[in-house]
């Protein structure tokens, strides 16, 4: 591409709306422009990168025997009513009506659609297994669209749905998709880690997320420094800390006026936070649930909701509900005499002796309370893992880091095939529901994440595999005929090789051209200047600070070498 014909959309100013590096650089390099909150137009440069990521995804999905489909993005309400998600999806779903007042939505995801395709098209076990995927624009009316295409309301997703005759087939497909995802993110130059994720009501080790570490990520991820263990905080198992053996003492009521927080209590009693047990109240659908965790711990709401099972609505109880359950002001809840539908006790609490809890009476706490002797409840893992704890697999050191999910693989089992009556005939002539899996990758989020991991103060540093162009040729002075002749010759021979080249023949200063190509992140730059008198041009990698002086006739070989180093073929 000759840049004299190109719409160069680089911006020198940092757009004020952008908070994170990738968002700033995607706007500044001219890859995209905003249409509305969380809605973007992809400009030519951005589209090139998107297409390259999509091609990598296609190749690896095809490699595992998946078949590309393209379903409609506008979906009739009936399908979603069948699965029960028309109501459950809530405000995140963009809804519309046709001229006959029929309800539709813009697809936020496609489980229902592909289950419908399977039940209509697949009749027999002989047609299984099948894995169908598409790369398509998805619509979600996110509560907080932000960070550009990291969390947008319109985004490109690769979503795949697998259909197997049994669990064994699904397990196999899930593993294949896991491997394909590892290859996809590697090829994109993205350091993404596979972590265990919560699989809600379906349970088990049925869900894994591919996470990239990021300070602005919205998930907490628990990593082990010593083994391969990695899990989303929602899922990471907490090992109860052993407390010291003590003789059980008698319960004692203590006046604790004006103590609203654990900190107030720690001051008053002058003992460690670990001696206090918090009793927190939640509303799960119509039930009031109390959850007890140690004073220095956090309740894990996902674990609690999963333990209860089949909960649609899960929230903190309102102050009024707390007052009703405890017959006291907020801040004095405790297990003894509390009026709740269920009392859940974190395993660590059940192992702590002589602890302090609220007395369910305004201005009072109880000390020397013990689980089993003074109250009963259901014991389980109801808390978040905290910094300084041990890995549940190997006992090693753990780190907790923020992460963003770029991909998600999930064993759905028969959740959708049962509710939507999607069946096939098995070897024995019996109707059986498909055993399903689903596998998503956020294509546009992947693009932003690559930039987050590959940039410097001058702009993007694209990995060669996804760069919009591989090489930029910069003649320093376009009025110099000899420089232009050589630049053109290099441009043409590189193009002949199949390299994607930009020829910066704009009537601009060399400095401006360098700045633009650095901002755009073009991996290789060939500068054609005065050194041509000695038969040389400058070769520079975007990722390195130094220039190399190379002979004009060596340019093609030097470029080829970079492809070899990166294990890439020139297409
Ligand atoms: P998140 O927890 O970030 O909202 P999700 O669990 O809703 O993600 P999935 O439904 O599993 O996401 O969608 C598959 C993939 O689509 C995600 O892994 C992510 O990469 C991408 N994705 C989801 N929501 C968005 C969004 N609003 N903007 C951009 N990409 C998104
Ligand atoms: Mg979401």
């Amino acid at each position: 591409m000759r840049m004299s014909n190109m719409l160069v959309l680089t911006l020198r100013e940092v757009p004020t709306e952008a908070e994170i590096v990738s968002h700033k650089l995607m706007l500044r390099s001219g890859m995209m422009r905003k249409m509305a909150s969380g809605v973007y137009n992809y400009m030519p440069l951005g589209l090139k990168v998107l297409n390259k990521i999509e091609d990598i995804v296609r190749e690896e999905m095809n490699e595992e025997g998946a078949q590309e489909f393209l379903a409609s993005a506008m979906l009739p309400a009936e399908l979603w009513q069948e699965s029960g998600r028309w109501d459950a999806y809530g405000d995140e779903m963009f809804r519309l009506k046709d001229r006959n007042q029929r309800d539709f939505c813009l697809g936020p995801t496609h489980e229902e659609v592909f289950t419908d395709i399977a039940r209509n098209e697949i009749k027999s076990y002989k047609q299984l297994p099948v894995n169908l995927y598409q790369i398509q624009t998805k619509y979600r009316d996110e509560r907080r669209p932000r960070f550009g295409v990291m969390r947008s309301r319109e985004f490109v997703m690769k979503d795949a749905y697998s259909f197997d005759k049994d669990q064994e087939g699904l397990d196999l497909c899930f593993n294949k998709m896991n491997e394909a995802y590892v290859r996809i993110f590697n090829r994109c130059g993205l350091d993404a880690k596979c972590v265990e994720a919560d699989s809600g009501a379906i349970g088990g080790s049925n869900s894994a997320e591919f996470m990239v570490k990021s300070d602005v990520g919205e998930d907490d991820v628990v990593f082990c420094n010593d083994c391969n263990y990695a899990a989303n905080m929602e899922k990471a198992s907490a090992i109860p800390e052993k407390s010291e053996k003590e003789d059980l003492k008698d319960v004692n009521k203590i006046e604790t006026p004006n103590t609203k927080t654990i900190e107030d209590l720690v001051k008053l009693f002058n003992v460690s936070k670990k001696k206090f047990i918090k009793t927190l109240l939640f509303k799960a659908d119509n039930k009031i649930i109390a959850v007890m965790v140690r004073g220095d711990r956090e309740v894990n709401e996902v674990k609690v909701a999963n333990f209860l099972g089949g909960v649609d609505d899960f929230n903190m109880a309102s102050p009024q509900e707390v007052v009703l359950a405890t017959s006291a002001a907020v801040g004095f809840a405790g297990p003894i005499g509390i009026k709740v539908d269920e009392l859940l006790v974190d395993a660590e609490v059940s192992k702590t002796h002589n602890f302090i809890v609220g007395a369910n009476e305004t201005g009072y706490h109880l000390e020397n309370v013990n689980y089993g002797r003074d109250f009963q409840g259901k014991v389980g893992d109801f808390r978040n893992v905290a910094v300084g704890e041990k890995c549940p697999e190997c006992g090693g050191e753990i780190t907790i880091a923020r992460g963003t999910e770029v991909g998600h693989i999930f064993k759905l089992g028969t959740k959708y095939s049962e509710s939507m009556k999607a069946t096939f005939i098995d070897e024995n002539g019996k109707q059986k529901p498909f055993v399903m899996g689903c596998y998503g990758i956020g294509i546009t989020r992947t693009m932003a994440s690559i930039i987050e991991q590959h940039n410097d103060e001058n702009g993007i540093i694209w990995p060669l595999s996804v760069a919009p162009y591989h090489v930029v040729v910069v003649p320093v002075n376009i009025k110099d005929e000899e420089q232009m002749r050589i630049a053109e010759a290099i441009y043409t021979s590189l193009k002949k090789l199949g390299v994607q080249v930009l020829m910066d023949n704009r009537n601009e200063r060399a400095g401006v051209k360098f700045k633009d190509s650095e901002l755009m992140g073009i991996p290789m730059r060939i500068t054609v200047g005065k050194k041509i008198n000695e038969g040389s041009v400058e070769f520079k990698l975007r990722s390195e600070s130094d220039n190399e002086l190379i002979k004009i006739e060596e340019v093609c070989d030097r470029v080829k070498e970079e492809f070899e180093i990166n294990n890439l073929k020139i297409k």
Side-chain angles (χ1 to χ4, degrees):
M1 172 102 217
R2 282 172 214 282
M3 289 181 74
S4 54
N5 301 331
M6 181 173 160
L7 201 54
V8 179
L9 302 169
T10 50
L11 305 171
R12 293 285 169 261
E13 298 295 310
V14 179
T16 49
E17 77 210 66
E19 294 167 69
I20 61 169
V21 166
S22 58
H23 189 190
K24 286 179 192 166
L25 289 178
M26 284 176 81
L27 293 171
R28 285 191 56 210
S29 61
M31 304 221 316
M32 67 172 195
R33 290 288 187 260
K34 181 173 163 181
M35 272 282 282
S37 166
V39 181
Y40 292 89
N41 293 327
Y42 295 92
M43 310 315 250
L45 207 65
L47 185 60
K48 277 197 176 291
V49 177
L50 259 190
N51 287 338
K52 291 207 173 175
I53 298 172
E54 290 180 8
D55 285 345
I56 291 175
V57 170
R58 277 195 181 91
E59 281 175 27
E60 297 299 347
M61 291 300 292
N62 295 346
E63 180 67 27
E64 296 298 350
Q67 269 185 84
E68 187 166 4
F69 253 67
L70 185 56
S72 155
M74 196 175 109
L75 311 174
E78 290 76 27
L79 273 185
W80 294 79
Q81 283 156 349
E82 261 189 77
S83 71
R85 287 210 293 182
W86 181 255
D87 293 325
Y89 224 97
D91 288 342
E92 216 172 283
M93 186 184 261
F94 277 106
R95 294 160 204 259
L96 60 157
K97 284 188 193 293
D98 72 6
R99 63 174 74 208
N100 299 315
Q101 301 307 304
R102 282 197 202 103
D103 286 312
F104 284 83
C105 71
L106 298 178
T109 177
H110 272 62
E111 283 80 4
E112 283 80 355
V113 176
F114 280 80
T115 309
D116 184 53
I117 292 173
R119 76 178 162 188
N120 294 333
E121 311 297 338
I122 306 172
K123 304 291 174 209
S124 154
Y125 73 96
K126 288 182 194 152
Q127 293 165 283
L128 298 175
V130 170
N131 187 356
L132 309 175
Y133 75 96
Q134 61 176 351
I135 295 178
Q136 193 200 42
T137 302
K138 296 282 191 267
Y139 299 87
R140 293 184 186 178
D141 197 358
E142 296 276 354
R143 186 193 300 270
R144 285 187 70 194
R146 56 189 182 143
F147 305 143
V149 295
M150 279 285 189
R151 182 166 300 284
S152 49
R153 298 197 297 167
E154 186 193 72
F155 59 96
V156 181
M157 193 203 285
K158 185 284 296 176
D159 48 330
Y161 306 88
S162 67
F163 301 87
D164 274 282
K165 62 185 169 73
D166 52 23
Q167 183 66 35
E168 215 181 334
L170 171 60
D171 292 346
L172 198 71
C173 183
F174 183 86
N175 292 342
K176 280 180 165 188
M177 286 295 101
N178 194 336
E179 285 164 19
Y181 275 35
V182 170
R183 295 197 301 271
I184 288 169
F185 293 122
N186 270 341
R187 285 181 63 186
C188 288
L190 190 64
D191 181 10
K193 196 161 173 62
C194 181
V195 313
E196 280 177 31
D198 171 55
S199 43
I202 291 166
S205 59
N206 288 329
S207 167
E209 290 164 342
F210 285 77
M211 288 278 184
V212 293
K213 279 192 190 174
S214 152
D215 293 340
V216 296
E218 288 166 87
D219 287 271
D220 278 318
V221 184
V222 179
F223 295 95
C224 178
N225 298 340
D226 301 323
C227 74
N228 268 332
Y229 181 78
N232 193 312
M233 180 61 87
E234 294 177 350
K235 165 89 181 173
S237 325
I239 301 176
E241 191 185 18
K242 287 202 183 96
S243 57
E244 282 169 28
K245 275 237 156 73
E246 281 179 36
D247 292 333
L248 303 193
K249 298 181 201 157
D250 291 340
V251 175
N252 194 13
K253 191 155 112 184
I254 308 268
E255 206 175 342
T256 54
N258 308 322
T259 51
K260 284 261 168 337
T261 64
I262 290 272
E263 282 70 28
D264 296 338
L265 287 165
V266 167
K267 254 195 213 147
L268 187 76
F269 282 85
N270 197 23
V271 291
S272 149
K273 243 186 175 181
K274 297 181 180 179
K275 273 287 186 196
F276 295 90
I277 304 299
K278 296 190 273 201
T279 307
L280 296 157
L281 273 72
F282 295 89
K283 192 161 185 191
D285 294 337
N286 289 321
K287 291 190 168 163
I288 300 291
I289 312 292
V291 185
M292 299 177 70
V293 293
R294 230 167 61 178
D296 58 334
R297 304 298 196 196
E298 299 288 330
V299 171
N300 184 315
E301 297 187 14
V302 173
K303 289 181 183 174
V304 173
N306 284 345
F307 182 86
L308 297 169
V311 178
D312 289 328
D313 235 4
F314 189 84
N315 291 301
M316 292 292 295
S318 69
Q320 292 82 341
E321 285 159 343
V322 174
V323 169
L324 211 65
T326 61
S327 319
V330 173
F332 298 96
I336 302 176
I338 197 164
K339 294 186 279 296
V340 291
D341 296 297
E342 193 109 63
L343 180 65
L344 304 184
V345 182
D346 184 63
E348 206 164 52
V349 172
S350 72
K351 294 193 164 73
T352 309
H353 310 296
N354 301 324
F355 50 75
I356 302 164
V357 291
N360 296 321
E361 187 177 337
T362 307
Y364 290 93
H365 278 75
L366 302 176
E367 62 177 4
N368 304 331
V369 174
N370 289 280
Y371 172 75
R373 183 191 72 177
D374 304 319
F375 69 96
Q376 305 288 336
K378 289 188 180 160
V379 177
D381 175 7
F382 300 121
R383 69 176 179 91
N384 283 342
V385 172
V387 175
E389 291 198 63
K390 299 278 175 255
C391 166
E393 300 263 302
C394 76
E397 285 297 309
I398 56 150
T399 346
I400 299 174
R402 300 295 276 172
T404 304
E405 175 195 319
V406 285
H408 194 177
I409 55 177
F410 201 108
K411 292 183 193 170
L412 293 168
T414 54
K415 182 173 175 208
Y416 290 90
S417 49
E418 274 179 16
S419 67
M420 294 181 64
K421 302 191 177 52
T423 58
F424 64 97
I425 295 174
D426 76 0
E427 289 94 329
N428 305 316
K430 287 217 174 76
Q431 295 279 347
K432 279 234 175 106
F434 294 108
V435 182
M436 292 173 55
C438 70
Y439 317 92
I441 291 183
I443 303 281
T444 35
R445 187 181 282 183
T446 295
M447 170 154 86
S449 302
I450 298 171
I451 300 175
E452 289 288 325
Q453 290 185 359
H454 299 273
N455 69 80
D456 64 11
E457 64 282 6
N458 298 322
I460 304 170
I461 309 175
W462 286 117
L464 195 56
S465 57
V466 294
Y469 292 91
H470 302 128
V471 178
V472 57
V473 180
V474 183
V476 172
N477 177 4
I478 63 161
K479 307 235 163 65
D480 183 319
E481 279 178 22
E482 192 54 11
Q483 278 185 24
M484 281 308 279
R485 190 184 64 76
I486 289 172
E488 282 288 344
I490 292 173
Y491 173 62
T492 315
S493 46
L494 283 175
K495 269 199 355 178
K496 253 197 206 138
L497 270 183
V499 177
Q500 292 154 1
V501 203
L502 277 177
M503 164 72 169
D504 200 346
N505 59 345
R506 294 176 300 164
N507 187 12
E508 292 282 359
R509 283 181 295 115
V512 170
K513 298 182 184 184
F514 292 165
K515 277 219 149 44
D516 278 344
S517 74
E518 283 176 356
L519 192 52
M520 293 178 197
I522 312 302
M524 293 178 249
R525 184 176 84 202
I526 293 155
T527 309
V528 183
K530 286 190 180 134
K531 291 270 164 34
I532 53 168
N533 297 333
E534 297 154 28
S536 301
V537 290
E538 277 174 12
F539 178 90
K540 186 179 173 299
L541 291 176
R542 176 67 183 86
S543 55
E544 304 282 327
S545 48
D546 294 338
N547 273 320
E548 298 164 36
L549 210 56
I550 59 172
K551 292 282 167 221
I552 296 167
E553 57 276 13
E554 284 168 9
V555 167
C556 284
D557 284 341
R558 184 65 190 85
V559 169
K560 275 194 219 160
E561 193 186 328
E562 274 313 305
F563 277 85
E564 275 159 30
I565 292 169
N566 285 281
N567 228 337
L568 291 172
K569 285 202 185 85
I570 305 178
K571 294 219 175 89

